[in-house]
Amino acid sequence: MIRVVLPAHLKTLINQHREVVLDVAGPVTQRSLLDALESQYPVLNGTIRDPTTQRRRPFIRFFACELDLSHASPDDVLPDEVVSGAEQFFVVGAMAGG
Amino acid sequence: MGSVRVLVGTRKGAFILSADGTRKSWDVQGPFFEGWEMYHLKGSPIDPNRIYASQSTGWFGQIIQRSDDGGASWAPVGNGFKYDGVPGTHQWYDGTPHPWEFARVWHLEPSLTDPDTVLAGVEDAALFKSTDGGENWSELSGLRGHGSGPHWQPGAGGMCLHTITVSPKDPNRIFAAISAAGAFRSDDAGSTWRPINRGLRSEGIPDEAAEVGHCVHRIALHPSNPDVLYMQKHWDVMRSNDAGESWFEVSGNLPSDFGFVIDVHAHEPETIYVVPITSDAVHFPPEGKLRVYRSRSGGNEWEPLGKGLPQSHCYVNVLRDAMAVDGLDECGIYFGTTGGQVYASNDAGDSWEAIVHDLPAVLSVEVQTLA
């Protein structure tokens, strides 16, 4: 059971204001996690990853276990705490102020 | 008597404003899609319950929403805006080639005959079409590919295709406008295109009368006479009597001929409306007075309309898609401001009242005239 926290805009989009719980088959990586997320909520296609290149959108960050995983390979296995559900996987919209 | 439904897109959500035919008492619903930029919402002319909406942010990209019940409920449809073939390049701000990159949908234009068919004008400038209610999109690539595309350059707001107008008398004839490339016309339902900018002069480009490179802000026409086009250009209010083959200036006595919106009275093809803005450097009304200007002669002679509008200390802007007219017997005019007001006139512009005062900055205003 993978626990994913989405930014407010995406929570609004899927009408789900709590964490999202996913079942991910096979090795749990950014790619497999996001594939499962988009499969469960098709409206998220293109909102986290570019729909053509599948690369992380520029203003999106991935945090977990107090680590910034944004620049890790999408095929790296995620930390055990995320895989076990002990820790959440955060999809974050980069901060902008002014 | 009929009724009206005003669709308002803002920087932080969408709103739906409804009134009966008197247009004196308004019901305000929203925000829909709160926190998202709603560049444009527009209803099908033949099925008013069908409304399309462009929802986006720089963070999370583009979503298209569709309502089949007049805006009471919404469902996301397709957001696969993929340029046809190898996208190629256009000019970047510094004159270097820059790859075409999809950013957002600026304008949605539902078909005049089929509620499932809709055109989308996007940034970087291109035209897309859906024939299944927005589920799937394909590019009408003859526009970008007609030859001048590699020479197009973005304006300050991006290189957006912001105006799409289909001739009611010939559905194969489509007009499109791009900042800062100019106006274009197709006579074969969007397969092939050519620039229609003869007569435009723009001081901001090396050749003032170039075939492309003009910063057109908005084009409007009257359904009864679609060969007559009105244009608010970056500077200059222009008119064409021959479907864009040639243009001439009709700025006349306007206090400034810079502006963004232009629209035509629903029942008087020669009555047009603009909102003068001070200049390209100063995006608020001259003298801090918000005034719509009306010409009853198709241009050149203009009268200010300020009754009910703020006549001091007003420093808002009115963006290109933020004016619309209804089709009731006494034509209603609507416009929204970057200050979050939506103003309505139920007497063709003679007097105005704010429907709402404090929305987020208004990006677009459309109105549906309901039976």
Side-chain angles (χ1 to χ4, degrees):
Chain A
M1 181 186 76
I2 312 298
R3 300 160 60 205
V4 179
V5 178
L6 295 175
H9 287 77
L10 299 187
K11 287 178 180 171
T12 302
L13 196 58
I14 65 170
N15 248 336
Q16 163 65 277
H17 293 277
R18 297 186 299 274
E19 68 180 19
V20 171
V21 177
L22 300 173
D23 287 320
V24 179
V28 180
T29 64
Q30 280 182 26
R31 190 186 306 279
S32 65
L33 183 154
L34 294 172
D35 286 347
L37 180 66
E38 291 173 358
S39 175
Q40 191 161 319
Y41 299 101
V43 69
L44 295 178
N45 274 306
T47 63
I48 298 171
R49 299 183 289 188
D50 181 282
T52 304
T53 66
Q54 293 294 294
R55 294 176 62 181
R56 174 177 54 83
R57 292 182 60 82
F59 296 154
I60 296 284
R61 295 290 182 269
F62 302 133
F63 298 162
C65 305
E66 300 182 356
L67 298 171
D68 182 354
L69 304 176
S70 308
H71 301 290
S73 164
D75 295 314
D76 285 353
V77 175
L78 292 174
D80 290 343
E81 295 88 338
V82 174
V83 176
S84 70
E87 291 281 346
Q88 296 165 313
F89 182 86
F90 290 85
V91 178
V92 179
M95 280 188 287
Chain B
M1 177 191 288
S3 61
V4 293
R5 185 159 59 210
V6 181
L7 310 173
V8 182
T10 81
R11 288 263 180 230
K12 294 293 178 185
F15 297 83
I16 298 179
L17 321 175
S18 304
D20 65 20
T22 64
R23 293 156 290 178
K24 289 179 178 170
S25 176
W26 291 87
D27 174 59
V28 179
Q29 297 174 50
F32 300 93
F33 321 113
E34 62 184 43
W36 288 75
E37 291 187 316
M38 302 303 296
Y39 265 62
H40 195 220
L41 301 87
K42 192 161 186 177
S44 163
I46 56 170
D47 177 5
N49 283 326
R50 169 66 61 85
I51 303 172
Y52 295 96
S54 171
Q55 171 186 13
S56 67
T57 75
W59 282 260
F60 308 111
Q62 179 69 51
I63 304 289
I64 299 292
Q65 297 275 354
R66 192 182 87 197
S67 175
D68 293 329
D69 54 12
S73 64
W74 296 85
V77 285
N79 62 351
F81 292 92
K82 189 167 183 237
Y83 293 108
D84 187 27
V86 177
T89 60
H90 59 79
Q91 298 287 302
W92 196 231
Y93 293 98
D94 61 2
T96 59
H98 188 83
W100 241 276
E101 294 175 325
F102 175 83
R104 62 179 57 80
V105 173
W106 278 67
H107 185 95
L108 292 161
E109 190 66 24
S111 161
L112 300 173
T113 55
D114 174 18
D116 284 337
T117 296
V118 55
L119 297 172
V122 314
E123 175 190 352
D124 287 337
L127 187 62
F128 285 79
K129 182 177 184 178
S130 171
T131 57
D132 57 6
E135 296 289 350
N136 294 284
W137 297 89
S138 56
E139 185 190 2
L140 298 174
S141 56
L143 175 57
R144 274 191 319 120
H146 83 271
S148 70
H151 303 291
W152 299 351
Q153 202 162 22
M159 199 173 77
C160 52
L161 194 161
H162 50 71
T163 297
I164 306 168
T165 304
V166 180
S167 169
K169 292 194 172 171
D170 176 4
N172 288 325
R173 174 165 285 182
I174 308 172
F175 302 98
I178 296 169
S179 292
F184 300 84
R185 194 180 88 198
S186 171
D187 292 325
D188 55 11
S191 295
T192 62
W193 293 80
R194 61 189 176 88
I196 50 165
N197 299 307
R198 194 187 319 156
L200 305 186
R201 300 190 69 84
S202 300
E203 293 178 0
I205 55 179
D207 174 3
E208 291 189 356
E211 184 182 43
V212 296
H214 302 276
C215 194
V216 176
H217 284 179
R218 184 72 173 166
I219 294 173
L221 60 75
H222 191 275
S224 71
N225 193 3
D227 281 350
V228 174
L229 304 177
Y230 299 101
M231 174 193 293
Q232 174 67 68
K233 195 162 66 65
H234 193 76
W235 291 99
D236 304 332
V237 178
M238 307 294 293
R239 173 178 173 137
S240 171
N241 290 332
D242 50 15
E245 298 291 344
S246 62
W247 296 88
F248 57 97
E249 187 173 1
V250 292
S251 304
N253 62 327
L254 288 170
S256 165
D257 59 15
F258 186 90
F260 292 93
V261 293
I262 189 164
D263 217 331
V264 188
H265 188 291
H267 314 302
E268 300 172 12
E270 295 286 309
T271 298
I272 55 178
Y273 300 85
V274 297
V275 179
I277 298 296
T278 304
S279 71
D280 50 359
V282 179
H283 281 192
F284 52 71
E287 305 171 62
K289 299 178 179 178
L290 183 55
R291 290 168 294 189
V292 175
Y293 275 70
R294 177 174 61 196
S295 171
R296 293 190 183 278
S297 55
N300 281 323
E301 296 86 32
W302 299 89
E303 57 177 327
L305 308 170
K307 185 179 177 186
L309 299 175
Q311 295 305 293
S312 63
H313 309 301
C314 181
Y315 299 104
V316 299
N317 194 2
V318 181
L319 300 178
R320 71 184 81 238
D321 240 343
M323 177 178 262
V325 303
D326 71 32
L328 295 178
D329 289 344
E330 183 74 58
C331 179
I333 320 290
Y334 307 84
F335 69 95
T337 78
T338 54
Q341 301 86 31
V342 177
Y343 291 102
S345 168
N346 60 6
D347 53 13
D350 290 338
S351 64
W352 299 86
E353 192 170 3
I355 305 174
V356 283
H357 295 270
D358 300 308
L359 300 186
V362 174
L363 301 174
S364 64
V365 172
E366 294 286 352
V367 60
Q368 297 181 281
T369 308
L370 307 173

